[in-house]
Amino acid sequence: MACETHLTRVWLILVSNEVERVVTKNNAAPLLEIKHLKTHFFTEDGVVRAVDGVDLQVFPGEVVGLVGESGCGKSVTSLSIMQLISAPGKIVAGEITFEGQNLLELSEKEMMKIRGDRISMIFQQPQTSLNPVFQAGDQVAEVFRIHQKLQDEEAWEQAVELFRMVGIPAPERRAKSYPHEMSGGMAQRVMIAMALALRPNLLVADEPTTALDVTIQAQIIQLIQDLRKEVGAAVILITHDLGVVAEMAERVAVMYAGQIVEMTDVISLFDKTFHPYTQGLIGSIPVLGKVKERLEVIPGSVPNLVDLPPGCRFAPRCRARMEYGLDLCTKVEPQLIEYQPGHQVRCWLYQDTEEYKAPLKDRG
Amino acid sequence: MTDKTANLANLDKEGLSLKSVSLWQITWRRLFKRKSALLGLGILIVLVFIALTAQWISPYDPYQVLIGIEDVDMRQAPCIHLLGCPKDQPQHIMGIDGNVRDQFSRLLYGTRLSLMVGLTTVSFAIIIGTILGALSGYFGGWVDNTIMRVMDVLLAFPSLLLAIAIVTVLGPGLINALLAIGIVSIPAYARVVRSSVLSVREMDYVSATRALGGNNFDILFKRIMPNALTPLIVQGTLGIATAILDAAALSFLGLGAQPPTPEWGQMLSAERNQVFTAPHLVFYPGFAIMTTVLAFNLLGDGLRDALDPRLAHTSK
């Protein structure tokens, strides 16, 4: 698997997993429901609207991918769920309902009980996420000491058991290693062990494979997949790697400048993309066997979140807007609408109003 | 997967050693490569040995006035048999002090006092300074402002002057002098700890611990502090030297240890008018103070180099 390149991997996996990926029409209540979440940072330069009205549902046991460029608000969304936003950031509006509780209404103390136990998180940089002065096993044991009030020895045994579970060779000895003696892949295994120690219902994985090299990436993804099934956790997978999304996610939300611009199941995401931004993202992946002089690019860069363009946030970079000569894009902000069953998109190409007729309303 | 694991485990047994080395062990090894630090450490070990065994190795009782016991004069020069002092005279290798006591024994007992002064004042200052600095660095905001402004006020006075003021209020005496020196050195530690907590609290592993559900107390004192200790250790070691000097100065001024306590600063002060007639009574205590302070400074500098995070992963 390691030697295959990116996009072939994407497609192969999509096809091979299709049987497995029964897109369960969940009648059950969502495990996590984010409504109109707005997290802003009040800086000297002005208010940075890092997350600006995000709606997201995660059902028990499913993997939701959250995709977007750097600085589009993916990580801030995940930190908002964990309530780990520190000053000058603040959740200014919205609701985050987890297992029927609105997390935003909980006290810090109640939230502490949930973190690491019911919801846990894997970070991007495994090696800096481990405390350099403690043995790796001790840090995993900490989870048991905090939440289950286990004694040192018992917690240590549990930790070693977890080391074995995440496939670390010689777990008894490796538990005694310090983080600087571990490779990135091994450190990430330790982080995964920590995150899944108490069998959480929701795992937030913030770019779990970004800092690792490609062969290790595949192993880590496989590990997360396996353990996820075993533990039965839902996963919010934050990444900018569409290959990882194709491999793991069932549904995908594409974020741009603090908002979700498209949301659908993973097959339609690659199959019939609606939003011009998503089209650009997928178009910019190199395809094995296709000779191209240059890869497609999305012109421009992510707008300054302090000074967002009026109307659609993607409008200044949007090819489709030029192509169809749409004026509305730069004036009025489109809404996230359910364009097709289970496929939401935020774009004036698909959304009608009373006096405006969307050019692509009836296509697709 | 299991195959691979088994293989790796075998490899491991066959010699790919997985012996874990903590950062402290690395530091220790690096410290041993520095000659000056080793010299400091060596002197310190000798001093500690002297302090612990003073009652057995000192030839006389430091408080005993030898009038009528031995045939010696006040401020008599050192008499060392090896160097040709007549065998029939009692041997006093550092001479006799102004109250006809054995200077050598007093000096040995003085080691005890000086080390004690250094350790107690610095521990006192470190404990209080660390708590204050950690709280202000971690919580920031008004907590930080309140604590650090008080520290600024303390820092605004020259430390010895402030110590003198405190001792004047509390009354002279060794314990009060210790307290004064302790209070005076709190701000230095508070600042050092605050700055390192400020930088450590932004690290990923702190957010990771928070994401695991750790509470503020655990995060601050169990997870952040061990990483913020490095500069504190250096500051503390160097601080012991300053504390010993300050204590000697206070005693010299008559505000610290009172006679007949064998304290180096006090011994200096008692004989300072006899510098020209009996130089040995001023030289030895002065030399002892210098050696001790030097030892702590050498060790402190060595520790600073050994603990330098920029070298952390270069030479194991």
Side-chain angles (χ1 to χ4, degrees), chain B residues 38-115:
Chain B
L38 271 190
L39 178 67
L41 195 63
I43 299 176
L44 271 185
I45 290 171
V46 172
L47 287 173
V48 168
F49 176 78
I50 292 175
L52 290 176
T53 59
Q55 61 203 87
W56 296 292
I57 61 173
S58 61
Y60 292 87
D61 179 346
Y63 295 99
Q64 192 178 35
V65 178
L66 298 173
I67 300 173
I69 299 174
E70 280 179 356
D71 178 24
V72 285
D73 294 330
M74 191 203 286
R75 302 204 178 90
Q76 191 178 314
C79 166
I80 305 169
H81 294 165
L82 263 178
L83 297 180
C85 182
K87 287 263 190 227
D88 55 338
Q89 276 187 30
Q91 171 168 273
H92 295 282
I93 60 176
M94 288 181 188
I96 298 293
D97 78 352
N99 288 318
V100 200
R101 293 171 295 203
D102 180 48
Q103 178 82 347
F104 181 55
S105 305
R106 289 179 64 74
L107 206 72
L108 294 185
Y109 272 85
T111 313
R112 215 175 240 195
L113 217 57
S114 280
L115 291 186

Side-chain angles (χ1 to χ4, degrees), chain A residues 83-148:
Chain A
Q83 305 245 345
L84 290 175
I85 299 286
S86 51
K90 198 167 182 279
I91 298 173
V92 289
E95 228 174 82
I96 301 175
T97 314
F98 175 72
E99 294 181 334
Q101 272 177 311
N102 184 359
L103 298 184
L104 299 181
E105 283 166 2
L106 294 184
S107 70
E108 177 60 20
K109 223 176 185 174
E110 291 168 307
M111 197 58 217
M112 265 182 219
K113 279 189 197 143
I114 292 180
R115 279 185 213 131
D117 188 15
R118 312 306 327 135
I119 309 179
S120 60
M121 194 163 174
I122 302 175
F123 289 88
Q124 183 173 359
Q125 297 284 347
Q127 268 161 322
T128 56
S129 300
L130 288 169
N131 199 326
V133 299
F134 294 102
Q135 294 173 340
D138 182 62
Q139 301 186 46
V140 178
E142 180 80 359
V143 185
F144 295 106
R145 288 199 294 260
I146 293 175
H147 290 286
Q148 301 192 332

Side-chain angles (χ1 to χ4, degrees), chain A residues 52 62 72 185 235 243 276 278 284 321 340:
Chain A
D52 208 22
E62 82 172 334
C72 70
V235 178
T278 322
S284 61
R321 179 179 66 87
Q340 283 185 354

Side-chain angles (χ1 to χ4, degrees), chain A residues 128 131 134 142 147 181, chain B residues 20-21 204 212 222-223 227:
Chain A
T128 56
N131 199 326
F134 294 102
E142 180 80 359
H147 290 286
E181 299 169 313
Chain B
S20 286
V21 190
D204 286 346
L212 288 178
K222 289 193 190 154
R223 300 283 137 174
N227 287 288

